[in-house]
């Protein structure tokens, strides 16, 4: 008896089409639920609130940090590390 037959193919196609139909109907039900509960509107309101919060709180800190970085630049190899300073003092 062969492992693959027309019956095997038929069972696979039936199962595959049933699973796809179930996914499509669930997606349709989810879209109706989202429309009824104004999910898109609520998500847009949340995005707007978070954007305003970002612009009012975090953006000024970023601007202050950028200004301070420009006022007090640091070179990569110009300073001595804290560990090296402690070694030179004999404290480490």
């Amino acid at each position: 008896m062969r492992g693959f037959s027309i019956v095997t193919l038929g069972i696979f196609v039936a199962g595959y089409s049933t699973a796809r139909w179930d996914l499509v109907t669930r997606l349709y039900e989810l879209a109706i639920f989202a429309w009824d509960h104004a999910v898109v509107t609520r998500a847009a309101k949340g995005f707007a609130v978070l954007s305003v919060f970002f612009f009012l709180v975090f953006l000024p800190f970023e601007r202050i940090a950028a200004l301070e970085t420009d006022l007090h630049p640091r070179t990569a190899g110009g300073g001595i590390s804290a560990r090296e300073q402690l070694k030179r003092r004999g404290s480490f």
Side-chain angles (χ1 to χ4, degrees):
M1 185 170 183
R2 293 172 23 195
F4 186 78
S5 66
I6 297 298
V7 175
T8 305
L9 183 64
I11 290 171
F12 174 76
V13 169
Y16 185 80
S17 61
T18 302
R20 290 294 165 200
W21 179 255
D22 185 48
L23 285 175
V24 168
T25 55
R26 293 206 184 218
L27 182 62
Y28 178 71
E29 291 171 358
L30 181 63
I32 291 173
F33 177 83
W35 182 265
D36 288 342
H37 290 84
V39 171
V40 175
T41 305
R42 292 167 72 189
K45 286 179 185 176
F47 179 76
V49 167
L50 289 175
S51 297
V52 167
F53 181 72
F54 174 77
F55 286 122
L56 291 178
V57 175
F58 291 115
L59 207 55
F61 283 117
E62 189 275 331
R63 295 293 179 199
I64 292 169
L67 178 65
E68 289 297 321
T69 304
D70 290 339
L71 289 175
H72 308 288
R74 295 180 66 181
T75 59
I80 300 173
S81 68
R83 178 174 288 180
E84 184 64 29
Q85 290 177 7
L86 289 173
K87 281 183 183 179
R88 288 183 182 184
R89 282 191 226 148
S91 303
F92 189 62

